[in-house]
């Protein structure tokens, strides 16, 4: 068997290291953090992962694994090096490749002193082009050696999930091998054939760039699947007698769709999906390309906790002086990780709206304290959390919470209003005992408000909302004209079957109570520079306010202009969409004018 070194001992690195070493492979784990290395050498895992501690201890005992902070030692003692360092987001959400770069530089330096061929395998999630570009170049520069001749390179993405990292590593669905050359790919495939033996899953040999992209496409698709079912859940919520759980089950039986990752909830979080989707978006923008489904996936997710809070608020009236119990803080059950956790975002939203928040999580309290400080009450157990509360929200699907009965909620809470944000309760068992709300659970007919059910169904509409949010309010004031009143409709929606004109009229009415008749389109605002690769158009209307109907700070008979923003993907991916066609038709008829 080949000897292996692993650079970077986070989730992926450590899980991979102990899985290899438990199967008779000599592994050297390298990390820059000396305290981590010391702990691991003493058999203390630095992350919690089911089964990890046992495997670590066995491997240490059998002398199959050692940890070091000397990268040269790691390279000298191995034939294959896996790079598993983190690739976090920069402030602008693009990928930070600095850890990958320094790992590559260290590997190169060490390879300078090694005489035999060595295989470097990138396992970290990196944007397309990084392995052949940054990694290869850096190693060549620091080693003085030639890729393909003195060393080989592969890109081998990882698909393990937090909470089941060991299981996922030992039983992967497939192995993706992106290869610089045939020799590198053969070498890695050989290694995995020996490691998995008769358990070898399908192996896909491909280019480096495809392997890099497969990882992003995989995570983006999974996140999109969740956002999709969450969007359907939002639709269910306004339809009587509907339930997203059954809808998910129904579509999940279709083999082309599959039942996994169709659990509706308050949204997806964690250390991977948010970071990877943002990196992919930023990467495609740098290529002047829009990925509208990605935008819609993110937008649906951003609104999911807000929708949940809105729903609860509609019941409570206002959060002022109300006590809200939040059950769960981790981004999912089985972990203490709160990175990008939707539960934390939900808590922050509740605080912002004036609620007094009590929280409980079986594993993530310590991490949550670092983020939330003393803004919330940290309960001792689930029942302490819900006691005297006006509402309880299930934000993470922990087993502990499934045990809270409807009667316990009733007994302990001031007002037994339960919002199941992760669909862990059977509505039939709770509905008669407590005021029960849940993601994707249809309302009783009498409770249905007048809603725009078409609005969130269309990804391009969500894109529309993003642009409006980014742009904020544009003052409709032309250089040589005195300021006139203006209205903006950021994030407004056109309903199905409605023309743009009708939408403007309806939204103005809804938001201001004013009745307006858009008279004519007065201009189109187009800006490409601030949005490279996109075409942003604002359609402006002129309308007269009839006497007696002006109720805001406008003078009588003042001219009011209405405008909307719409982002039109350059490649017109949504050309089937009536709304986009409407905008285009209007935009074409008028000269482009800046205000
Ligand atoms: C994710 C992927 O599932 C892994 O395949 C990938 O290797 C990993 O990212 C990574 O890139 O390293 P992970 O972030 O550990 O794994 O967690 P998931 O189990 O995928 O859950 C992510 C989020 O989606 C959680 O907040 C979870 O609550 C939510 N989720 C998941 C749902 O809301 N509904 C579902 O049906 C599934």
């Amino acid at each position: 068997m080949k000897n292996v070194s692993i650079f970077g001992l986070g989730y992926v690195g450590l899980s991979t290291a102990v899985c290899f070493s438990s199967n008779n492979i000599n592994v050297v784990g390298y990390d820059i953090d000396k305290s981590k290395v010391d702990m691991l050498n003493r058999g203390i895992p630095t992350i919690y992962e089911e089964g990890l501690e046992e495997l670590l201890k066995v491997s240490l005992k059998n002398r199959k694994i050692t940890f070091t902070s000397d990268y040269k030692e790691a390279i000298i003692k191995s034939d294959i090096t896996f790079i598993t360092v983190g690739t976090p987001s920069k402030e602008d959400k693009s990928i930070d490749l600095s850890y990958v770069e320094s790992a590559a530089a260290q590997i190169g330096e060490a390879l300078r002193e090694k005489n035999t061929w060595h295989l470097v395998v990138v396992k970290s999630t990196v944007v397309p082009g990084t392995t052949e570009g940054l990694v290869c170049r850096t190693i060549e520069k620091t080693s003085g050696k030639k890729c393909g001749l003195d060393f080989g390179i592969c890109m081998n993405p990882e698909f393990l999930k937090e909470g089941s990292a060991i299981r996922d590593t030992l039983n992967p669905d497939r192995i993706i091998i992106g290869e610089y050359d045939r020799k590198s790919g053969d070498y890695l495939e050989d290694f995995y054939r020996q490691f998995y033996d008769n358990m070898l899953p399908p192996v896909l040999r491909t280019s480096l760039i495809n392997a890099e992209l497969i990882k992003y496409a995989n995570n983006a698709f999974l996140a999109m699947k969740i956002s999709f079912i969450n969007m359907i859940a939002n639709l269910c919520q306004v339809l009587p007698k509907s339930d997203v759980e059954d809808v998910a089950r129904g579509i999940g039986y279709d083999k082309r769709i599959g039942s996994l990752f169709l659990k509706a909830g308050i949204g997806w979080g964690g250390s991977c999906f948010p970071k990877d989707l943002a990196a992919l978006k930023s990467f495609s923008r740098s290529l002047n390309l829009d990925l509208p489904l990605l935008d819609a996936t993110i937008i649906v997710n951003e609104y999911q906790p807000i929708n949940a809070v809105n729903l609860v608020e509609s019941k409570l009236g206002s959060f002022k002086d109300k006590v809200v119990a939040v059950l769960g803080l981790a981004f999912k059950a089985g972990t203490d990780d709160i990175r990008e956790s939707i539960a934390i975002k939900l808590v922050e939203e509740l605080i912002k709206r004036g609620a007094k928040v009590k929280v409980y999580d079986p594993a993530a309290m310590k991490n949550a304290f670092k983020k939330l400080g003393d803004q919330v009450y940290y309960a001792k157990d689930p029942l302490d959390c819900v006691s005297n509360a006006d509402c309880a929200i299930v934000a993470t699907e922990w087993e502990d919470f499934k045990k809270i009965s409807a009667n316990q909620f009733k007994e302990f809470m001031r007002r037994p209003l339960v919002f199941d944000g992760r669909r862990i309760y059977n509505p039939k068992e709770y509905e008669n005992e407590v005021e029960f709300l849940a993601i994707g659970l249809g309302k009783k007919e009498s409770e249905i408000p007048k809603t725009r059910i078409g609005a969130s169904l269309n990804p391009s509409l969500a894109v529309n909302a993003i642009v409006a949010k980014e742009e904020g309010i544009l003052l409709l004031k032309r250089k040589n004209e005195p300021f006139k009143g203006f209205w903006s409709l950021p994030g407004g929606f056109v309903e199905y079957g409605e023309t743009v004109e009708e939408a403007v009229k309806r939204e103005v009415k809804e938001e201001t109570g004013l009745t307006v008749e858009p008279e004519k389109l007065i201009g189109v605002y187009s800006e490409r520079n601030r949005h490279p690769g996109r075409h942003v158009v604002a359609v402006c209307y002129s309308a007269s306010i009839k006497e007696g109907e002006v109720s805001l700070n406008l003078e009588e008979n003042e001219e009011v202009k209405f405008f909307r923003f719409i982002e039109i993907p350059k490649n017109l991916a949504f050309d089937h969409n009536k709304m986009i066609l409407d905008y285009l038709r209007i935009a074409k008829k008028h000269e482009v004018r800046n205000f």
Side-chain angles (χ1 to χ4, degrees), residues 44-74:
I44 309 166
T46 40
I47 50 164
Y48 177 75
E49 202 46 69
E50 205 187 319
L52 183 106
E53 187 163 0
E54 294 76 12
L55 289 188
L56 173 64
K57 293 213 154 97
V58 171
S59 297
L60 283 167
K61 198 168 138 238
N62 296 340
R63 296 172 182 272
K64 285 305 210 186
I65 197 164
T66 53
F67 298 97
T68 180
S69 42
D70 177 349
Y71 58 86
K72 289 193 175 161
E73 178 195 340

Side-chain angles (χ1 to χ4, degrees), residues 298-312:
I298 295 168
I299 274 281
V300 168
N301 202 50
E302 274 178 8
Y303 279 112
Q304 204 58 2
I306 309 283
N307 288 339
V309 172
N310 286 345
L311 191 60
V312 173

Side-chain angles (χ1 to χ4, degrees), residues 159-160 162 215 219 261-263 268-269 272 331-332:
F159 301 99
L160 60 81
E162 277 188 42
K215 169 68 188 189
N219 272 0
F261 276 64
L262 276 184
K263 182 83 184 169
W268 42 265
C272 304
F331 86 92
K332 65 176 182 182

Side-chain angles (χ1 to χ4, degrees), residues 266-270 302 305-306 309 326-332 335-352 357-361 363-373 375-376 378 393-396 398 422:
I266 55 170
W268 42 265
E302 274 178 8
I306 309 283
V309 172
V326 176
L327 295 163
L329 298 164
F331 86 92
K332 65 176 182 182
T335 173
D336 63 355
D337 198 340
I338 59 154
R339 281 177 288 176
E340 298 290 328
S341 169
I342 298 292
I344 299 284
K345 293 188 201 306
L346 184 116
V347 169
E348 287 170 339
E349 184 66 25
L350 290 167
I351 296 171
K352 207 166 90 191
V357 183
K358 297 172 84 179
V359 298
Y360 177 75
D361 189 284
M365 296 287 258
K366 232 165 74 190
N367 285 337
F369 181 74
K370 288 184 213 151
K371 177 97 183 154
L372 297 169
Q375 298 182 90
V376 297
Y378 296 89
I393 301 178
V394 177
T396 312
W398 285 100
R422 292 292 179 187

Side-chain angles (χ1 to χ4, degrees), residues 267-281:
W268 42 265
S271 62
C272 304
F273 286 172
K275 160 181 88 77
D276 290 351
L277 267 71
L280 186 56
K281 184 174 151 154

